[in-house]
Each structure stands twice: as structure tokens, then as C-alpha cells.
């Protein structure tokens, strides 16, 4: 397919009927109407995968079970279920994304300080979902923790723990000093048991051991892969440009779907005790090769089947192209050719015949 043909197809690509779009002044106007069917379709497919016990909420996760496009409309009352409280914009995002999580099944949610609030921890606990997240100090009313000024004078590894009850939900709050001061809230774990970790001390210029609360290790264990999906997408992302905003989102959703499929492939291989041998790059090549053959009638060939994958066949084709002899761009001998000699290229604008001359040279033997 030529580039012009591809751009022509992309020009007329639509995901919804524009004639059915409601005007902006309508109360039910959807800002992502142009791409809403694709968003709903992918969310339905992603959420059909069985959930793992430990789930993280951030911009993008290890496996994306559900995603939400920010439009500024999500926090309106009409998008909130009847039994869902208004916990402010950031916490409401956690409530919406956790709708697919079964209640009272020992699932755990992890999130950062943008989302964490005491009412959110309490509400999720009432649904039987345990939570853990870092928290901003200004979201802890009547906090009994020492001030940052006092904590900065304490040695590294110092930790304080307080337990409170909010709406019949026990909530543990912990503050821990490392290079910086970290505050956390949880409904299921606390400071005990305390372990030790290695840290480099700039003053003594050596590695030292400091105390590390259990809540810190639990958070790091399950939030370490939060940005991994972003990293995987960034390796081989679609870099084509477009002036249409929904086309750019479409490109990104293709990348998310491919990475999700690759992660699912690795999970299935591990569950069957096999090693996942296909890299993300080869997986994308296999997907692309399969899509180009959709609708193609393949006749079986005689002889032994080839064990080479699509990526290997593609590499062979590229290697054959590299080995092809280059065309000779120099003029052959015994042929007349023309030299253009001029003082300055700028003198040719406008054309001035007095500034250059044409010399015809012949290399023919007499």
C-alpha cells in the first residue's frame, strides 16, 4: 500500500456516526463521542481478563484492566452510581476504575498520594477491598506526627505509626524517614514487622543498614510496576502524526492493546510452565504480519513446513535487499556529458548567462 493510499484511508476513518453527536450545549454531550465505541469495546475486552489480587491505580499500569479518558466530565453526578459517595475528583477516579473489582474477595488496591484520602480508604474497606497508598500530610486532619523539621533531625529509618477509626474502619497511618519523609495510609498493614534495607550514606561514604517498616516494603513491592506499561509502550510506539485528536488516541490505544496482548501471552506461558520466547518487538511484527493476511486465502505448500517466524522472514527479506548491488550513478565512459560552471549559486537567481558557461567534454578516443 502506498503512502497516499494509507493517508486517504486514514482521512475517512471514523469510529462513530458524527450525525448522531449531540451539540456542546446539550447536557448529555460526550466530549469523546468520536471515539467512544472504541473505548467501550477495549474496556470490555480488557476487563474480561481475570483480575490479579494486587492491583495498582495510576496513569497506566502493568496490565491495563480498565482505563479512563480524562475529559473533565467524569466527576459529574450523572456519571456516579446511586450508592457511590462523592469523595472529590481524584478519589472518585479510584471508585470508578474499581467497579470491575469483586467485593469481599480480598483484592488489594495501591495508589499514590494524588488519590489517597481517609474517606477513600474507608469506603473501599466497606466494599471488602483493602487499600494502601502514600498520602499528603495536609490530608491527615489532627495529625499527631512530628513536624518535618523534627523528623529531619532524626536518623534515617525512623518511623512513627498511629491507628485511627473512621466510619468503623481501622486505618493505619505511618510516617518514615529515608532520604525524604514518606507518609502512608492503609487498611490492612502497618509498621510491623520491621526489616532492614541497605542505603548509601553520603557522610560516611559507605552502605549502611536502616530500619524499613513492612508497609513501605508492601507498597514498593506492588507499585514498582506501575509505570512499566508506559515504558513498554514507549519502546515501539506509533509515531505517526495527525491533526485529528481522536486519531492520536487511536494510535495510543493500539499500542496499549498490543502490549496488553503480549503481557497476557507471557502470563499464559508462565502458567503452563513454559518460557515466553517471543519478545515485544517480534510480537508486534507477528501481529502486523497477521493483520496484512486477513482475508487472504492461503494454499498449503508441499514439503516440510518452515519453522521461521514472520519476524525472521522479514529480516531475511531486509538482508536480501542489502545484498543487492547498487546502481552505478557515475556516467559511463565514451559518453559525452555536460559540466555547469558558475561562480556562485546565488548569482543564478535571477538567471544571468554571463556568470557561467557550458562546457561540453568528450571522452571518446579519436
Amino acid at each position: 500500500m502506498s503512502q497516499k493510499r494509507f493517508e486517504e484511508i486514514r482521512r475517512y476513518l471514523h469510529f462513530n456516526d458524527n450525525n448522531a453527536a449531540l451539540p456542546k450545549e446539550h447536557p448529555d454531550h460526550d466530549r469523546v463521542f468520536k471515539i467512544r465505541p472504541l473505548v467501550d469495546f477495549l474496556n470490555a475486552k480488557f476487563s474480561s481478563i481475570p483480575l490479579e489480587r494486587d492491583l495498582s491505580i495510576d496513569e497506566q499500569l502493568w496490565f491495563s484492566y480498565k482505563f479512563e479518558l480524562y475529559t473533565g466530565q467524569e466527576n459529574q453526578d450523572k456519571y456516579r452510581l446511586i450508592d457511590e459517595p462523592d469523595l472529590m475528583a481524584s478519589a472518585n477516579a479510584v471508585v470508578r476504575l474499581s467497579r470491575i473489582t469483586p467485593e469481599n474477595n480480598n483484592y488489594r488496591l495501591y495508589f499514590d498520594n494524588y488519590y489517597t484520602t481517609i474517606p477513600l480508604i474507608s469506603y473501599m474497606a466497606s466494599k471488602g477491598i483493602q487499600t494502601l497508598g502514600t498520602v499528603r500530610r495536609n490530608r491527615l486532619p489532627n495529625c499527631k506526627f512530628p513536624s518535618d523539621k523534627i523528623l529531619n533531625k532524626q536518623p534515617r529509618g525512623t518511623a512513627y505509626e498511629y491507628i485511627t477509626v473512621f466510619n468503623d474502619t481501622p486505618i493505619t497511618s505511618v510516617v518514615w524517614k529515608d532520604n525524604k519523609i514518606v507518609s502512608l495510609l492503609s487498611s490492612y498493614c502497618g509498621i510491623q514487622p520491621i526489616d532492614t534495607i541497605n542505603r548509601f550514606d553520603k557522610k560516611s561514604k559507605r552502605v549502611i543498614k536502616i530500619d524499613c517498616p513492612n508497609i513501605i516494603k508492601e507498597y514498593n513491592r506492588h507499585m514498582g510496576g506501575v509505570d512499566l506499561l508506559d515504558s513498554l509502550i514507549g519502546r515501539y510506539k506509533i509515531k505517526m502524526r495527525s491533526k485529528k485528536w481522536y486519531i492520536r488516541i487511536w494510535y495510543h490505544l493500539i499500542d496499549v492493546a498490543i502490549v496488553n496482548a503480549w503481557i497476557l501471552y507471557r502470563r499464559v506461558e508462565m502458567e503452563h510452565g513454559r518460557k515466553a520466547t517471543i519478545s515485544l518487538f517480534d510480537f508486534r511484527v507477528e501481529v502486523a504480519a497477521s493483520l496484512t493476511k486477513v482475508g487472504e486465502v492461503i494454499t498449503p505448500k508441499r514439503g516440510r513446513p518452515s519453522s521461521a517466524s514472520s519476524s525472521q522472514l522479514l529480516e531475511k527479506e531486509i538482508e536480501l535487499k542489502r545484498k543487492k548491488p547498487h546502481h552505478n550513478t557515475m556516467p559511463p565512459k565514451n559518453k559525452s556529458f555536460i559540466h555547469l560552471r558558475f561562480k556562485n549559486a546565488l548569482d543564478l537567481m535571477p538567471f544571468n548567462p554571463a556568470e557561467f558557461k557550458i562546457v561540453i567534454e568528450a571522452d571518446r578516443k579519436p
Side-chain angles (χ1 to χ4, degrees):
M1 180 187 298
S2 65
Q3 180 180 353
K4 290 185 178 180
R5 176 60 176 166
F6 172 79
E7 291 178 350
E8 184 179 4
I9 294 175
R10 186 179 61 175
R11 177 184 175 186
Y12 295 102
L13 180 63
H14 293 278
F15 303 95
N16 212 342
D17 184 5
N18 292 335
N19 296 325
L22 298 175
K24 292 183 178 180
E25 58 273 9
H26 196 280
D28 294 330
H29 171 71
D30 185 5
R31 293 181 180 176
V32 292
F33 175 82
K34 287 180 174 291
I35 204 169
R36 177 61 66 185
L38 179 62
V39 172
D40 294 341
F41 174 80
L42 290 179
N43 267 326
K45 289 296 182 181
F46 294 166
S47 59
S48 65
I49 305 300
L51 299 177
E52 297 176 291
R53 188 195 68 170
D54 300 295
L55 305 170
S56 304
I57 291 183
D58 202 279
E59 286 80 8
Q60 289 185 336
L61 320 178
W62 169 231
F63 183 94
S64 180
Y65 292 100
K66 187 178 181 181
F67 64 92
E68 182 179 86
L69 298 180
Y70 174 77
T71 63
Q73 296 177 310
E74 299 82 13
N75 204 40
Q76 297 179 7
D77 294 339
K78 61 182 178 181
Y79 296 109
R80 193 177 304 118
L81 300 182
I82 298 177
D83 59 339
E84 290 180 352
D86 184 6
L87 303 177
M88 305 304 292
S90 59
N92 287 342
V94 178
V95 175
R96 290 191 300 271
L97 292 174
S98 64
R99 289 172 183 169
I100 63 173
T101 308
E103 300 180 8
N104 301 309
N105 276 271
N106 199 31
Y107 282 95
R108 297 174 181 176
L109 285 181
Y110 303 86
F111 30 78
D112 61 21
N113 59 19
Y114 175 76
Y115 305 97
T116 309
T117 62
I118 291 178
L120 174 63
I121 299 287
S122 175
Y123 173 74
M124 300 307 296
S126 67
K127 297 171 68 67
I129 301 174
Q130 306 302 324
T131 52
L132 167 60
T134 54
V135 64
R136 300 174 184 178
R137 294 287 290 273
N138 58 3
R139 294 183 180 180
L140 299 176
N142 303 321
C143 179
K144 297 181 180 180
F145 288 136
S147 63
D148 291 350
K149 184 177 181 180
I150 296 176
L151 283 172
N152 285 328
K153 297 179 181 179
Q154 302 293 326
R156 292 175 67 179
T158 301
Y160 294 89
E161 178 185 44
Y162 288 96
I163 299 176
T164 186
V165 177
F166 184 84
N167 291 341
D168 299 328
T169 302
I171 300 176
T172 302
S173 57
V174 175
V175 62
W176 179 62
K177 183 195 173 185
D178 191 11
N179 288 329
K180 296 182 179 180
I181 299 172
V182 183
S183 302
L184 302 98
L185 284 180
S186 177
S187 60
Y188 77 94
C189 68
I191 200 172
Q192 297 293 337
I194 296 179
D195 200 356
T196 58
I197 57 175
N198 295 328
R199 287 290 188 268
F200 181 78
D201 185 33
K202 293 183 179 179
K203 293 183 179 180
S204 61
K205 295 183 179 180
R206 62 186 180 87
V207 177
I208 61 174
K209 291 185 178 295
I210 65 172
D211 292 337
C212 180
N214 177 56
I215 191 173
I216 296 291
K217 301 195 72 173
E218 186 76 6
Y219 181 82
N220 291 336
R221 185 181 301 114
H222 300 292
M223 284 292 286
V226 165
D227 297 324
L228 190 55
L229 182 60
D230 274 331
S231 175
L232 293 173
I233 291 175
R235 293 181 184 180
Y236 312 109
K237 67 182 300 183
I238 299 174
K239 296 182 179 180
M240 288 184 290
R241 298 181 179 181
S242 177
K243 294 182 179 180
K244 298 178 180 179
W245 62 268
Y246 61 91
I247 295 295
R248 296 195 297 271
I249 295 178
W250 174 53
Y251 290 156
H252 180 73
L253 294 181
I254 291 176
D255 290 329
V256 173
I258 292 177
V259 172
N260 259 5
W262 180 70
I263 294 172
L264 192 60
Y265 149 75
R266 290 173 57 88
R267 183 187 299 181
V268 171
E269 292 296 295
M270 291 177 61
E271 289 177 354
H272 288 80
R274 298 189 296 262
K275 184 179 179 180
T277 58
I278 303 178
S279 65
L280 177 58
F281 174 79
D282 291 335
F283 189 86
R284 292 182 71 101
V285 173
E286 293 281 354
V287 171
S290 300
L291 291 176
T292 58
K293 296 179 181 178
V294 173
E296 179 181 345
V297 179
I298 302 176
T299 56
K301 297 181 180 180
R302 294 183 178 180
R304 298 177 62 184
S306 175
S307 60
S309 62
S310 300
S311 59
Q312 293 172 337
L313 295 175
L314 182 61
E315 290 177 0
K316 288 183 179 180
E317 292 181 5
I318 296 174
E319 190 64 26
L320 289 174
K321 290 182 180 180
R322 289 176 180 172
K323 292 182 179 180
K324 286 184 178 180
H326 296 285
H327 296 288
N328 190 6
T329 57
M330 296 296 294
K333 291 185 177 181
N334 300 327
K335 297 291 183 179
S336 299
F337 57 94
I338 297 176
H339 288 295
L340 296 182
R341 298 178 181 174
F342 48 90
K343 293 181 179 179
N344 194 327
L346 297 177
D347 296 335
L348 298 179
M349 303 297 293
F351 176 79
N352 187 359
E355 296 295 336
F356 73 100
K357 59 181 179 179
I358 299 177
V359 180
I360 301 178
E361 299 179 359
D363 195 24
R364 297 175 180 173
K365 294 181 180 180

